[in-house]
Amino acid sequence: MIERPALPCRAVQAAAVAFALATGLAEGAGCKLAMLSEWPVRIENSQLLVEGSLNGQPARVMLDTGAPRTQLNSATATRLNAARRDVKRDRQFGASGESKVEIAHLDEFRVVDFKRSPWRMVISGDADLGVDVLLGEDFLSLVDFEFDLEHNVVRLFQPENCDGKNLAYWASDGQSVGDVPIDPIIASQPQIVLDVRVNGKTIGALLDTGAASSVLDKPAASRLGATPETPGVTVVGQRSGAGGKTLPVWSAPFQSFTIGAETAKDVRIAFSDLFREANYASIGTRIPTKVEGSQQMLLGVDFLRSHRVLVSHSQKRMYFTHNGGPVFAVARPVDTKVDANPGPDGKSPAPAN
C-alpha cells in the first residue's frame, strides 16, 4: 500500500512518499515511513559520495557519520574565496590531534535535493579532506536514514506513528532482522554510538561512514588480547589521520563479533592507535586529557557493504540485515610502507583467510 500525503520537511526539501510497513514488521495500523529523498551514492575508494554544489559550483560531498559537524575543505574555502571567521572558543580533534576552528560563510550549499542560502560551515583546519565537504552527523541526525549500498542509494525518512515498530521494511518473511539501541544524540557532539561484543566483551562502537574499514582502537584491542606482538597478528598497512600523520594498522583474529543477535565466528578485525594524538591540555596545566567521545571501535563502510542498515534517530535504534559474505574486510599482510587502502575501483580489500 502506497500513500502520498503532504508531509513537508524543514530539514530536506523533497517529495514525501509514505510507505505503509508490512504487517509482520510494524504490527498495528498507522505506522508509516515518509521517504523524504533517495540519494544516489557513488562509492570511490570506499568513500560514500553524493552530488552537491557550493556557490553554484559542483562539489564532491562525502557522507561521514563519524564527523559530528559538517566540514568544508580548507582548500575549497580558499578556492571559493569564502569569508572566514575564527571561533577561538572551539577546538576540533581527530586521530592526529587538535586543529583550529574557522567558520566559512557561503552564498549557497546544495546536496542532492537539499538547498540552503546562505549557509555557514566549519572549515577543516589544516587537513586536506580529499573532498569538498564532509556531510556530518549534525545534518544526518535530523532524519532517519537507510544505507542500501547493494543498490548504491541512501534514503532519508521521516517516521509517523512508528514508536516501538520494526522499521526494517525491506526484510522478507523469515529473514533475520537485527536491531540495537543507539545512544541519545548530544547536540554539541552528535554521533551514532552503539554497543557491540568482541570475544563476549561489550565495547562502544561508532558507526563511521568516513572509515573505509572497521577498526578497533589499539588499547581496546589490547584489553581483548590482541597486541602487535600477539601470535597471528599481522601488519596490514597504514591509515591517515586528520593532521596528515600516518598510523600503522594491524589485523588480529578474534573468536567472535556480535551486534544485536547476529554473531560472526572466527573473524579478523583491524586495529590501530586511533586516538593517540586526540588529547588536549586544559588552561593552567600541561597534562594531556583524552578527548571525550573517542570510541573503542569504528564500524566502517565494509560493515555497511555487508549489511543493509536503517538508523532511526526518532527511535534511537539501528535496524540491519546481513547481505551475506564476511562482516569485515581486512587487507592481507603488506609491508608497513604500503598503503592498505582500497584502489580507485572502490572495492574493499580482500578479506584475510
Side-chain angles (χ1 to χ4, degrees), residues 12-342:
V12 180
Q13 303 203 351
V17 180
F19 286 84
L21 299 184
T23 301
L25 296 178
E27 297 178 358
C31 175
K32 300 174 183 177
L33 280 179
M35 189 173 74
L36 306 172
S37 187
E38 182 175 87
W39 291 0
V41 174
R42 303 193 318 277
I43 304 178
E44 297 180 7
N45 296 322
S46 291
Q47 295 178 336
L48 306 186
L49 303 177
V50 295
E51 178 196 6
S53 66
L54 295 163
N55 293 351
Q57 300 182 28
R60 288 166 56 86
V61 179
M62 174 181 167
L63 304 182
D64 188 355
T65 60
R69 292 185 287 187
T70 297
Q71 296 184 48
L72 176 67
N73 194 20
S74 180
T76 303
T78 299
R79 174 171 56 82
L80 294 173
N81 197 26
R84 301 180 184 227
R85 177 173 61 86
D86 286 337
V87 185
K88 298 185 183 301
R89 68 180 182 275
D90 286 346
R91 290 176 285 181
Q92 59 185 353
F93 303 87
S96 297
E98 179 181 351
S99 59
K100 66 179 181 179
V101 177
E102 291 182 292
I103 298 292
H105 295 264
L106 302 171
D107 295 331
E108 178 189 282
F109 171 54
R110 181 182 63 82
V111 53
V112 192
D113 43 18
F114 168 84
K115 181 179 178 180
R116 283 292 182 269
S117 301
W119 191 259
R120 295 186 303 170
M121 196 176 297
V122 173
I123 299 176
S124 63
D126 298 329
D128 182 2
L129 302 177
V131 293
D132 296 307
V133 176
L134 291 184
L135 193 66
E137 180 61 9
D138 55 345
F139 173 88
L140 296 170
S141 62
L142 299 175
V143 295
D144 291 5
F145 57 88
E146 173 197 353
F147 292 103
D148 182 7
L149 300 190
E150 188 175 23
H151 299 101
N152 294 321
V153 295
V154 168
R155 301 181 181 93
L156 283 65
F157 293 100
Q158 178 178 290
E160 178 184 341
N161 300 322
C162 292
D163 289 348
K165 307 303 182 184
N166 186 333
L167 300 184
Y169 67 92
W170 64 86
S172 58
D173 291 341
Q175 184 176 10
S176 177
V177 176
D179 74 284
V180 292
I182 60 176
D183 289 356
I185 292 294
I186 301 173
S188 61
Q189 188 75 4
Q191 294 182 316
I192 303 169
V193 177
L194 56 139
D195 285 344
V196 300
R197 296 194 302 279
V198 179
N199 287 356
K201 297 181 180 179
T202 301
I203 61 173
L206 171 68
L207 186 67
D208 184 2
T209 60
S213 300
S214 300
V215 59
L216 285 161
D217 192 18
K218 187 181 177 184
S222 179
R223 290 191 293 271
L224 295 166
T227 70
E229 295 75 31
T230 302
V233 171
T234 55
V235 176
V236 293
Q238 299 175 340
R239 59 186 288 123
S240 298
K245 299 180 183 178
T246 56
L247 305 171
V249 181
W250 298 267
S251 167
F254 293 92
Q255 295 175 354
S256 64
F257 170 83
T258 300
I259 177 169
E262 178 186 305
T263 297
K265 299 286 189 180
D266 298 322
V267 295
R268 295 192 71 90
I269 305 176
F271 69 92
S272 185
D273 206 349
L274 298 177
F275 306 105
R276 181 180 59 189
E277 304 293 337
N279 300 300
Y280 68 95
S282 300
I283 296 175
T285 179
R286 294 185 179 181
I287 300 175
T289 301
K290 191 167 185 177
V291 176
E292 294 181 6
S294 301
Q295 302 304 324
Q296 299 170 81
M297 184 175 187
L298 306 180
L299 290 179
V301 173
D302 57 346
F303 177 84
L304 293 176
R305 281 185 152 181
S306 62
H307 294 79
R308 187 164 174 176
V309 174
L310 188 147
V311 177
S312 175
H313 287 108
S314 61
Q315 292 186 355
K316 300 181 179 63
R317 302 197 72 82
M318 187 177 88
Y319 297 91
F320 56 94
T321 55
H322 187 212
N323 292 333
V327 173
F328 304 119
V330 180
R332 297 181 184 278
V334 296
D335 185 271
T336 55
K337 296 181 181 180
V338 177
D339 189 350
N341 288 332

